[in-house]
Amino acid sequence: MRIDVISLFPDFVDAASGFGVVGRARQRGLLQVACWNPRDFTGDPHRTVDDRPYGGGPGMVMLIDPLRAALAAVRSADPAPAHVVHLSPQGERLTQATVRRLASLPRLVLLCGRYEAIDERLLAAEVDDELSVGDYVLSGGELPACIVIDAVGRLLDGALGDPDSARQDSFGDGLLDSGHWTRPERHALGEVPAVLLGGDHAAIARWRRREALGRTWLRRPDLLARARLDRADRALLADYIAAWRAAGGPGSG
Ligand code: 9D3
C-alpha cells in the first residue's frame, strides 16, 4: 500500500512512521510513505500557504492553490486512484472498522491542516473522507495522520509477525482485552492468577473471555452495548458481575 501525506511538517510525519512495526513494514516494502510540503508548490518569494479568513475571525486559512498543486503532484506520482482523507476536527470519529476499510485500499492520501482551517472549496473538490481522532483539540492534522498510518500500516499482510495479533486486537470483537502477566510467578506486587499457570487451555480461554467481558462492562459500557454476546458470554458476564459485587463492587478492581 502507498500512503502520501500533504503537510507543512513532512519531516515530522516521515520520522514518526519510521519506528516499530510500521517502520519495519516500510523497510520491507509492504508500505510506502511519501510526504509532500505544500510550501514547495507556491509561486511567490515568501512561499505563502495561508491568508486571512473572509468574514473576519481568529486564525488563518490555508490557500487553495498550494494544496491543489501538491495534490495534483501526488495523484500523478502513481496511476492507482487515490482516496483522499482530510484529518479534521469536523470529521467522523476514526474507528477500527474505518481503519480496516482504509487498509484495504491500494492508495491513501492524508491531507493535514494547520492554522484555523483549509479553504472549503479545496475540501469540497478534492476530499473523499473527513476523519477526526477524538474529541479534543490538537494544533494540526499531523499527529492524527501518524495515527492513521500506524493503525493502517500494522494491518497490512506481513506487518505483524504473528497474524493472530491482528485478530486478537482489542476492538477486533468489540471488547477490551483481559490482563496479562509474565515472569516472575510470585512478586512483591502480587501473584499470577492460578488458572494461567495450570495449562488447561479451555479454562484459560474461558477465564480470559470472562475478564474481557467484565472489564468492558466496568470500563466501556458503550462498547458492551454494541457487542454481540451469545448465551455463554452472557453467563460469563453474569458470573463476573456477581463476583465483582461479592468482592465489594466499586473500588475492588
Ligand atoms: C481551537 C480552534 N478551533 C476553533 C473552533 C478549530 C480548530 C482548528 C484546527 C481546532 C483544531 C484544529 C487542528 N486540529 C486538527 O487538524 C485535527 C484534529 C483535532 O484537533 N482533534 C481531533 N482530531 C483531529 S484530526 C485533525
Side-chain angles (χ1 to χ4, degrees), residues 10-11 17 27 33 44 47 50 53 59 64 73 79-80 101 103 106 130 147 180 182 192 203-204 218 228 230 244:
D11 297 344
S17 57
Q27 277 177 357
V33 177
D44 64 314
R47 313 221 302 158
D50 63 328
I64 295 174
R101 176 168 62 81
E130 292 206 305
I147 288 172
H180 298 271
T182 185
V192 177
I204 290 171
L218 277 175
R228 298 165 62 85
D230 62 16
W244 179 81

Side-chain angles (χ1 to χ4, degrees), residues 87-90 113 115-117 131-141 144:
L87 288 314
S88 160
Q90 277 76 48
Y115 314 120
E116 200 58 29
L131 293 177
S132 160
V133 297
D135 296 337
Y136 39 82
V137 181
L138 300 169
S139 55

Side-chain angles (χ1 to χ4, degrees), residues 98-186:
T98 306
V99 169
R100 282 192 287 260
R101 176 168 62 81
L102 296 178
S104 74
L105 300 170
R107 261 200 98 175
L108 198 55
V109 178
L110 303 178
L111 178 59
C112 305
R114 279 273 152 176
Y115 314 120
E116 200 58 29
I118 295 176
D119 191 299
E120 194 66 23
R121 292 166 291 184
L122 183 283
L123 299 177
E126 301 270 16
V127 168
D128 299 306
D129 266 335
E130 292 206 305
L131 293 177
S132 160
V133 297
D135 296 337
Y136 39 82
V137 181
L138 300 169
S139 55
E142 281 75 14
L143 280 167
C146 294
I147 288 172
V148 170
I149 294 169
D150 191 278
V152 166
R154 63 185 289 286
L155 286 188
L156 299 177
D157 278 341
L160 295 173
D162 180 356
D164 276 357
S165 317
R167 279 197 298 103
Q168 291 185 2
D169 276 344
S170 188
F171 306 113
D173 62 0
L175 296 178
L176 301 183
D177 206 352
S178 62
H180 298 271
W181 289 261
T182 185
R183 296 193 299 173
E185 211 175 294
R186 265 186 296 280

